[in-house]
Amino acid sequence: MVHLTVDIGGKPGVNCRGFCTYCYFKHAKDVPPFGCRYCLPFKKGCDYCTRGVKEGYEGFLPLKEVAENFLADLQATSDDVTRITISGGGDPSCYPEFTDLMEILGSLDVPLHIGYTSGKGFDSEDTAEFLLKNHLTEISFTVFASDPALRRKYMNDPTPEASLAVLKRLAEKIDVYAAIVILPGVNDGAVLENTLTWLEEAKVCGVILMRFANERAQGLILDNAPVMEGQKTHTVEEFREIVRTAHKNHPKLRISGTPLYDPLFDSPFAIRRHPELLKKLPEITGKTPVITGSAAAPFIAEILQKKGAKAGAVVPVKKEIACLMTIDDLQDLDKTSLTDTVIIPGRAFVHAREAAEVFGRQVVRGPEMLTADGETSMGMTEEAVLSLEFEGFSALINLINQYGT
Ligand code: SF4
């Protein structure tokens, strides 16, 4: 089972036929490297936190280069290739040589997957037949709304009717996952209801609802806030309610939300509802404060308290999403009650040495993942989500005990 990825490069927004109004990358600045888990201990900044996180490609890669890179990967593989995914910083549907690329890959007779597209580059309904002919079997497609006028206005889609028709045609034959960024007062409420009904009738496999972020504390770390001047946002709790209602009203659709929540598993942090698994987690014998984002903090605290942690064991920063924590979040924390060592999220965009300077004490990174957010859990089984959480919390508690006073 070999899964190959074809990287077409491209810059988000720039190589998307212009920015969607809500695009995170719209006002992204060339900020200095944050530091991260991949950096060398003595150097803040590596390829991932300097370039990868900003998806800082120059532009689409020429077809010749894409094909040569793919061929090299193919030749390095001894097993049969079972799946090929097309991905990039830019939108595959807007790739200038998309037709040629699809024909080349289609000739291999291997199931193709388009990792993410807005569909803005699909100008004719016939594109669906072309994609099917070339063995496309799965696609993630941003919808925004089933109302073409809203798609045109907010996604800058010049041909919204054609894009939606392609989505609908594909959903009849292959696995289509739809994504919707929710803008309060624009595509929530009745518009969302209509869109979900439309997607249900189209028989898409799943829908991921994404909360729109417009402030630094909500996760805009590229000096890019606000993305839309004056645009309201949902709180994490309001958004959770939207996902819950959508799931209730459309039981045939697999609906999940990011950052919170996945109604099918009651995740993130589904393990808190599974006493038999909680029982198997190690007991807490030490005290090492766990720094995390404000959205996850109550859940982590609830689970750790069930294993013996005292109040104050989990310390939230203002940033809602732990994986988007940066050094300024740590600088803003009240550190007076913290003991010798602190644990920061494994994926925080923080260089460990700099964090240690800010705290004036030892800092260790926690596990990579404690749970799966709605986007990730969408493609997982409940067992896999619980197993991921069990491993994450076991590792976290072992760290707490190892460094705890
Ligand atoms: S398609 Fe995605 S990356 Fe491109 S402009 Fe829209 S939101 Fe940004």
Side-chain angles (χ1 to χ4, degrees), residues 228-247:
M228 291 172 76
E229 197 70 56
Q231 173 62 51
K232 287 201 184 107
T233 53
H234 290 116
T235 64
V236 169
E237 269 317 305
E238 284 167 346
F239 186 72
R240 189 182 166 92
E241 204 41 50
I242 288 171
V243 181
R244 194 195 310 275
T245 308
H247 170 70

Side-chain angles (χ1 to χ4, degrees), residues 12-13 16 18-20 22-23 116 118 120:
C16 301
F19 283 104
C20 300
Y22 53 79
C23 182
Y116 159 80
S118 69
K120 287 197 269 185

Side-chain angles (χ1 to χ4, degrees), residues 311-334:
V314 177
V315 182
V317 298
K318 209 169 152 215
K319 180 83 47 63
E320 292 175 349
I321 314 297
C323 301
L324 295 172
M325 190 182 292
T326 49
I327 195 71
D328 50 321
D329 294 308
L330 301 184
Q331 279 156 346
D332 292 346
L333 263 188
D334 174 11

